[in-house]
Amino acid sequence: MIVLHDLCAGYGSREILHSVNATFENGKVTALIGPNGCGKSTLLKTVVQIIRPMSGQVLIDGKPASELSPIELARRAAYLPQSRPVPEITALRMVLHGRFSHLHYPRRYRSEDYAAAEEALRWAGMEEYAQQSMTSMSGGMRQKIYIAAALAQDAGAVLMDEPTTHLDISHQLLVLDTARRLAEGGRAVILVLHDLSQALRTADSVLLLSKGEVAYCGTPHDVYRSGVLDDVFGVHIEQVLTRSGAHYVCSARGDTRSG
């Protein structure tokens, strides 16, 4: 579990996050949403200490993140950035990188590390691509490999920054389903998402940021019913009930068309 207490963070002297309080529970998917520049990526980077807090505290499993060594932190939280260079290595080698925090001197992979990586590839449905180069894969395939690396890392929390960006709808749904499976396995999963409909349909909890502050935190239904999404994003959001559950449709304010 990850807990934020009065967290303030930013870049240089510029504060982006202002006194953020939030809890990300094990076994749940939390969608982190908000307009561009509101601090979503900054929050994830601060949790994993890429950015150091200006004030306040990040607790991971009850321990201050600032007091954890990089290896201890990696064993507790896996971070998937929004973008990264695509390395000229195989999928298996990429997933093995997730085992680095579990290695001891002289930092050589053991049989149990290979077993964990191969199991993670099977879990992600990518075992047949183990020897394929990352550079030859589609964006959706690479994203599943990165998630498999996070699984092999065996951390209690997984943080993903815009994991569905630039993916077609089929791969978007696969990534979101994988995130749900990670949570069902007992992990705390935090997703930065721009698609409000996907966020509300996928998450157990929603943390809405606006101008670096928490505008709302609650279940998807509660955040929808509050009307705060309309105010923060300047749109109209309508809930449509279907046989597969609630869906959410966004339209510009003043748009009188019905769908």
Side-chain angles (χ1 to χ4, degrees):
M1 183 167 69
I2 296 173
V3 179
L4 311 182
H5 286 305
D6 294 326
L7 183 67
C8 297
Y11 305 90
S13 60
R14 183 186 174 209
E15 186 175 289
I16 303 295
L17 297 175
H18 316 299
S19 298
V20 172
N21 290 282
T23 299
F24 305 100
E25 298 182 32
N26 293 344
K28 290 187 177 182
V29 174
T30 300
L32 184 56
I33 62 175
N36 289 340
C38 69
K40 301 183 296 295
S41 295
T42 301
L43 189 150
L44 294 192
K45 291 176 182 177
T46 307
V47 168
V48 296
Q49 303 295 287
I50 293 173
I51 297 172
R52 294 288 179 169
M54 293 177 170
S55 61
Q57 195 172 46
V58 177
L59 298 176
I60 303 180
D61 298 331
K63 298 183 178 181
S66 60
E67 297 178 6
L68 298 173
S69 69
I71 288 179
E72 290 174 322
L73 186 58
R75 289 177 179 174
R76 288 171 169 79
Y79 169 61
L80 281 69
Q82 181 179 347
S83 61
R84 67 178 78 186
V86 181
E88 286 270 6
I89 58 176
T90 65
L92 176 60
R93 184 61 57 176
M94 182 72 243
V95 176
L96 276 168
H97 283 185
R99 298 297 301 169
F100 189 78
S101 62
H102 297 274
L103 300 182
H104 302 287
Y105 186 81
R107 302 292 185 190
R108 291 175 182 160
Y109 295 119
R110 305 153 299 177
S111 59
E112 54 262 45
D113 299 311
Y114 281 96
E118 290 164 358
E119 176 58 29
L121 282 168
R122 281 192 293 272
W123 186 91
M126 298 296 287
E127 64 271 29
E128 64 182 289
Y129 303 101
Q131 298 306 322
Q132 185 168 327
S133 172
M134 293 289 292
T135 57
S136 68
M137 294 183 179
S138 68
M141 293 171 69
R142 285 198 295 266
Q143 196 66 280
K144 292 184 75 175
I145 295 299
Y146 294 141
I147 293 173
L151 181 67
Q153 192 169 326
D154 197 25
V158 179
L159 291 65
M160 305 186 202
D161 195 352
E162 298 187 37
T164 60
T165 299
H166 305 310
L167 301 184
D168 61 43
I169 187 62
S170 175
H171 283 101
Q172 289 179 31
L173 295 175
L174 283 172
V175 168
L176 294 174
D177 177 66
T178 302
R180 283 237 53 91
R181 290 167 58 205
L182 285 169
E184 289 166 4
R187 291 171 173 80
V189 178
I190 309 173
L191 302 176
V192 171
L193 295 172
H194 275 295
D195 188 314
L196 294 182
S197 180
Q198 286 185 346
L200 295 172
R201 289 182 60 196
T202 302
D204 300 298
S205 179
V206 174
L207 179 66
L208 172 62
L209 292 180
S210 178
K211 299 179 181 178
E213 300 178 346
V214 176
Y216 199 95
C217 185
T219 67
H221 180 71
D222 287 345
V223 72
Y224 162 73
R225 293 284 294 173
S226 73
V228 70
L229 291 172
D230 294 34
D231 295 333
V232 168
F233 287 98
V235 298
H236 175 66
I237 300 175
E238 183 177 359
Q239 184 186 69
V240 179
L241 298 178
T242 71
R243 290 181 180 179
S244 62
H247 292 245
Y248 299 86
V249 180
C250 301
S251 60
R253 281 184 172 175
D255 190 343
T256 59
R257 294 173 295 177
S258 60

